[in-house]
Amino acid sequence: STSSSSALNMSRARRRRSSVKLVLLLGVIAASALLSATSCTQLSSPEVEGSGTVGELRMRWAQWRADGPRSYDYEIRRTCFCVIDVVTPAQVEVRDGHVVGARALNDGRALALDLFDPIDSLFAYAIDVARRGGPVEVRYNARFGHPTFLEVGTLANDAGVRFEVGAVEPRR
């Protein structure tokens, strides 16, 4: 009877410890979610499908210039038949409209600055191609107007490039 009582108490103590661990784990998860939600200043917003016309690109570029930051970081992924550093997914730092840093997302190594442009240059490139009658496929950030997806030219003919822009974060 004493050994069964002792076993019962040990079982209850194990369940209590497991419950405490579960509560602590849930608290850590909740705190992490709250911290990441409150510390994130990314310019996230739903995407809007675009037509890729010159007029629309100009309108969205004006929206970006009016509402978007002059200094920001962003992630870019490019798809093209290009050298490896061009298609390496990167974190790009833009300050006062100029690229001042670029690092590979996978290993953090520095990349050549001349391989990257501020978001404004994506608009200029797309407008130039659209004006000459080339294909432009685009999706925009609904709130700030910057492209989140931009395919210019024709990838299948080795005559195009796809840009995927994400994680745009304002900087000072």
Side-chain angles (χ1 to χ4, degrees):
S1 155
T2 306
S3 65
S4 66
S5 173
S6 175
L8 183 60
N9 286 338
M10 287 175 64
S11 176
R12 285 182 184 152
R14 266 188 246 135
R15 277 194 307 249
R16 246 184 271 125
R17 281 194 303 267
S18 293
S19 295
V20 167
K21 286 179 186 176
L22 180 60
V23 168
L24 288 173
L25 178 61
L26 290 174
V28 168
I29 291 170
S32 295
L34 180 61
L35 181 61
S36 67
T38 57
S39 66
C40 181
T41 59
Q42 292 180 8
L43 302 181
S44 59
S45 181
E47 285 185 326
V48 175
E49 194 73 33
S51 66
T53 64
V54 172
E56 176 194 80
L57 287 160
R58 285 183 176 152
M59 180 190 75
R60 291 293 185 172
W61 192 4
Q63 179 186 1
W64 168 249
R65 286 188 303 226
D67 298 338
R70 293 275 302 143
S71 296
Y72 54 92
D73 294 349
Y74 75 98
E75 291 179 5
I76 189 161
R77 288 168 177 75
R78 287 185 281 207
T79 304
C80 59
F81 294 100
C82 305
V83 296
I84 193 70
D85 279 352
V86 170
V87 296
T88 299
Q91 174 79 31
V92 180
E93 299 173 30
V94 177
R95 299 299 178 266
D96 198 30
H98 302 283
V99 173
V100 298
R103 299 207 164 276
L105 287 176
N106 63 344
D107 61 10
R109 70 187 156 86
L111 298 169
L113 298 183
D114 63 346
L115 297 177
F116 301 94
D117 295 298
I119 289 174
D120 289 283
S121 295
L122 297 178
F123 282 107
Y125 178 50
I127 289 169
D128 182 55
V129 170
R131 194 175 327 147
R132 290 184 282 120
V136 175
E137 183 182 338
V138 63
R139 289 189 300 271
Y140 303 97
N141 175 285
R143 168 66 177 91
F144 295 96
H146 65 276
T148 55
F149 175 91
L150 178 63
E151 188 168 308
V152 180
T154 308
L155 283 172
N157 296 343
D158 188 16
V161 61
R162 176 182 302 142
F163 303 91
E164 296 174 70
V165 176
V168 178
E169 295 188 46
R171 297 292 182 204
R172 294 181 184 179

